[in-house]
Amino acid sequence: MIAGVDIGGTKIAVGIVDDDSKVLSRVETPTTECGVYNAGIAHVARMLREASRLAGVPLTGVGIGSTGWVYPFTGEFGDVDFFPGWKGCNPVKDLQREFGITVALENDGDASALGEAAWGAGKGKSQLIYVTVGTGIGGGIVLNGHLYRGADQGHPEIGHHVIDASATRCTCGFRGCWEALATGPAMAAWYNEQAATQAGAPSQLTAKQVFEKACAGDALARKAVDREHYYLGLGVANLINLWMPEMIVLGGSIMKSVQLDEVAKVVASGCRFVPYQSTKLAHASLGENANLIGAARVWHHRFGESARTAS
Ligand SMILES: [Zn+2]
């Protein structure tokens, strides 16, 4: 029974997750409520006590998955856009001191990758890349049950590989990153721009609505969906060419509407120098609590049985 803390751009969720990934309790708060560090971490501590009370179990360990740049081994927060007040602060040390239990921290893409690898669609796979497509694109790489870490323990940002250097500018400074082209908001923005040009009136559909319109037979929406599959496919093809993983698991809100066979067709159109058919594409399977479950898995990865059997 481990507590997970999922820190995202819009909300912070806290819950107790059992050893089979079942969520026993869940409480959440808007991220804006926790922007000032001292008050914010006190709020998280209260949520942990509440989650423990609701589940009827004591707190024995805490795993944290957080958006943005974090330092897993010191426990410190780096430069997180929506959390400037947390930069240089150390929630790992502070929660350890508060509760007298072990606490582990990872980037949320890595956390969800660990969750899917241990308990979800990637269970039993030795090389797994997890991709989450939301307002951005993030993810993590899990090799034989353990997170891949780069130089200086760096977390690779798979959403920021460039797909089309002449395209839209990305938040990172480059143009045409995977994240700038293949997220739901990117798809909706393209559709709305085209629709406004054609109709001479503003269009403000969401990605979900564009998918629905495409299903209803709208030609422009169909084009937007084809474009989405194409860009998702290009990014997946790059991951396959570079890594040849056993499986790529795709999660995030937009993936509910994406057809993986369309993504696979793009892969097949260009990955002919690698045995791409050996990389299975799968939808994430842990559902709407995936991030919370992944956060709890961070603790297992660092301190649990899987950590003891490492290397
Ligand atoms: Zn970028």
Side-chain angles (χ1 to χ4, degrees), residues 202-283:
S203 167
Q204 292 188 333
L205 296 193
T206 62
K208 188 166 175 267
Q209 290 166 325
V210 176
F211 273 111
E212 285 164 3
K213 246 181 132 114
C215 284
D218 180 271
L220 180 61
R222 190 62 249 169
K223 217 167 156 183
V225 168
D226 289 347
R227 189 176 176 275
E228 175 63 22
H229 283 133
Y230 178 64
Y231 281 133
L232 272 178
L234 281 187
V236 167
N238 286 344
L239 295 179
I240 292 176
N241 269 329
L242 290 168
W243 288 85
M244 265 308 300
E246 202 177 346
M247 181 180 264
I248 297 178
V249 175
L250 295 123
S253 52
I254 198 175
M255 289 310 301
K256 293 185 190 100
S257 310
V258 165
Q259 290 171 273
L260 288 184
D261 53 348
E262 294 298 323
V263 173
K265 279 184 200 163
V266 180
V267 171
S269 71
C271 285
R272 68 190 182 91
F273 298 129
V274 292
Y276 64 86
Q277 298 93 333
S278 300
T279 298
K280 194 167 186 297
L281 304 184
H283 283 285

Side-chain angles (χ1 to χ4, degrees), residues 14-17 22-27 50-52 54-55 292:
V14 173
I16 303 292
V17 181
K22 191 168 168 222
V23 176
L24 304 181
S25 64
R26 179 188 167 110
V27 287
E50 176 68 1
S52 161
L54 289 171
L292 186 61

Side-chain angles (χ1 to χ4, degrees), residues 159-161 170-174 177 179-180:
H160 294 276
H161 71 271
C170 181
T171 52
C172 70
F174 288 131
C177 288
E179 168 169 313

Side-chain angles (χ1 to χ4, degrees), residues 129-217:
I129 299 182
Y130 172 77
V131 179
T132 177
V133 187
T135 51
I137 295 184
I141 300 162
V142 180
L143 305 174
N144 300 314
H146 298 281
L147 269 184
Y148 167 81
R149 302 184 197 275
D152 197 22
Q153 311 291 348
H155 161 77
E157 282 291 347
I158 57 172
H160 294 276
H161 71 271
V162 175
I163 297 278
D164 177 357
S166 65
T168 324
R169 192 170 287 286
C170 181
T171 52
C172 70
F174 288 131
R175 285 184 179 276
C177 288
W178 198 18
E179 168 169 313
L181 293 168
T183 59
M187 173 192 173
W190 184 85
Y191 173 87
N192 288 328
E193 199 185 311
Q194 300 291 317
T197 309
Q198 284 184 13
S203 167
Q204 292 188 333
L205 296 193
T206 62
K208 188 166 175 267
Q209 290 166 325
V210 176
F211 273 111
E212 285 164 3
K213 246 181 132 114
C215 284

